Amino acid sequence: MSDFTAPSSATTASSLGGATTGNSMADASTIVLGIETSCDETAAAVVMGGTDVLSSVVASQLDEHARFGGVVPEIASRAHVETLPQVVAEALERANIDVSRVDAVAATVGPGLVGALLVGVSAAKATALVLDVPFIGVNHLEAHLYAALLDEPHAQFPMLFVLVSGGHTLLVEMTNHDSYRVIGQTIDDAAGEAFDKVARFLGLPYPGGPAIDKASARGKDTAVALPRAMLNDGLDVSFSGLKTAVINYVRANPAISSDDVAASFQRAVVDVLVHKARRAARQINAKTIALGGGVAANSLLRSEMTRAGAADGISVVLPSREMCTDNAAMIASAGWYRLRRGEVTALDAGANPNLKLGAGQR
Ligand code: KG4
Ligand code: ZN
């Protein structure tokens, strides 16, 4: 299990690799332009005061990758180069502001595909240089949390942040905005990856998460008995045995309805995530559970986590569905919180495809 705690602001400068920290540089009127290009969405957004989303534009490359059944890095980088200028222009236009009103430019510096990340990082640094405003490198994982806090900026700490995306499944203890400790994670597949793999096996369209969510509404979630791995064993999770169990069951019972399989699989994933989140929340005395990442858009996960929180007296914070999947509003928001702490990233900083949560920006 990883154990990362963000450095205090006094020590952050060195871990940021030439970045500077100092007095707060952000207030309620500060406008941040956010740029996100870590995977297959080209996104730009304008956010004021950390939570007021003036615009959020997402250009998905889904169609370009769909026929390959997954994201092709070279295609992603090229599509970002071609699309980003229009996406940024549209974000400024929809926000109805002139570019000269931008006070800082934030971009995802990792984790993600390195070629894709570099497109956004280069564009953001160039824009910051031209406008003579700060550049802020943002951790994509941290930004998923800020998607949840957009609607609930006053959510209370200690907070359990449950990050469930295509690449990550993390249970994170947060005692404050800049303090992260990973207390549980998947030992194999990420939750979104499990959704995508099972969907592909069932012949459902890519990406699999939304397709399984939809099929589940038509299926019976008790139709197939599936395992809940490691349920009473610490805070880590495992989804690869579940995926194998689905495959074995369908091969042995080819007449089973795929809606029933989808519903049973979704129920198993949600049971595990909610059970582990409750256990983790109890362990850290959480006042809040915040959900983030693409899988946080899942209907059953949203309703079951909310129900569990109500039963345990813990407030559950969910991002709006459009803010669950990758977008740039969450990047601009995370950037604003960094700027508020006086954290600015040096213009010679690069991208880090393996960036960890709370591990600084390089
Ligand atoms: O956060 P995200 O947009 O990208 C990463 O940073 O990984 O998450 C994408 C993942 C995909 O695996 C997708 O299948 C899953 O989120 N997803 C869902 C739903 N919507 C998206 N999984 C379950 N139910 C959904 N409704
Ligand atoms: Zn993401």
Side-chain angles (χ1 to χ4, degrees), residues 118-333:
L118 283 170
V119 177
V121 170
S122 310
K125 290 198 290 197
T127 309
L129 193 63
V130 168
L131 296 177
D132 194 21
V133 298
F135 163 65
I136 314 156
V138 167
N139 183 320
H140 182 88
L141 307 177
E142 177 179 309
H144 270 300
L145 167 77
Y146 284 99
L149 298 190
L150 279 172
D151 294 327
E152 301 278 348
H154 303 298
Q156 288 189 303
F157 297 99
M159 192 181 297
L160 176 74
F161 172 30
V162 181
L163 173 59
V164 276
S165 70
H168 294 85
T169 299
L170 300 173
L171 296 179
V172 184
E173 176 188 19
M174 289 188 69
T175 47
N176 210 330
H177 282 289
D178 57 353
S179 166
Y180 301 92
R181 193 166 70 95
V182 176
I183 55 174
Q185 60 190 311
T186 180
I187 60 164
D188 39 55
D189 293 349
E193 192 182 353
F195 270 96
D196 292 339
K197 286 177 176 169
V198 167
R200 192 172 179 169
F201 174 73
L202 295 176
L204 297 172
Y206 167 87
I212 290 202
D213 200 342
K214 227 161 121 191
S216 297
R218 300 184 297 258
K220 204 166 142 228
D221 65 5
T222 50
V224 186
L226 292 169
R228 274 81 171 142
M230 301 168 65
L231 210 54
N232 296 308
D233 185 11
L235 297 177
D236 285 348
V237 297
S238 161
F239 293 117
S240 105
L242 172 61
K243 174 193 66 194
T244 308
V246 169
I247 292 172
N248 290 342
Y249 185 90
V250 174
R251 288 203 174 129
N253 303 274
I256 180 88
S257 117
S258 55
D259 291 346
D260 285 350
V261 179
S264 304
F265 164 77
Q266 177 176 277
R267 172 62 69 179
V269 173
V270 169
D271 277 357
V272 169
L273 290 174
V274 172
H275 183 89
K276 295 283 178 165
R278 286 179 107 157
R279 172 183 282 213
R282 230 180 0 254
Q283 196 169 303
I284 66 165
N285 289 319
K287 292 203 169 98
T288 307
I289 296 177
L291 232 56
V295 182
N298 185 265
S299 319
L300 188 68
L301 181 60
R302 294 170 80 86
S303 60
E304 289 297 304
M305 199 66 91
T306 304
R307 212 153 66 119
D312 295 350
I314 299 173
S315 106
V316 173
V317 176
L318 304 171
S320 67
R321 276 174 202 265
E322 60 170 338
M323 290 294 160
C324 288
T325 43
D326 291 347
N327 66 83
M330 67 184 194
I331 307 301
S333 177

Side-chain angles (χ1 to χ4, degrees), residues 75-130:
I75 294 178
S77 309
R78 196 159 346 124
H80 287 311
V81 171
E82 283 164 6
T83 318
L84 187 58
Q86 291 149 255
V87 169
V88 170
E90 200 173 326
L92 291 168
E93 196 183 313
R94 284 198 208 167
N96 201 17
I97 59 157
D98 185 77
V99 71
S100 62
R101 274 288 284 112
V102 170
D103 297 305
V105 185
T108 304
V109 294
L113 303 167
V114 69
L117 288 165
L118 283 170
V119 177
V121 170
S122 310
K125 290 198 290 197
T127 309
L129 193 63
V130 168

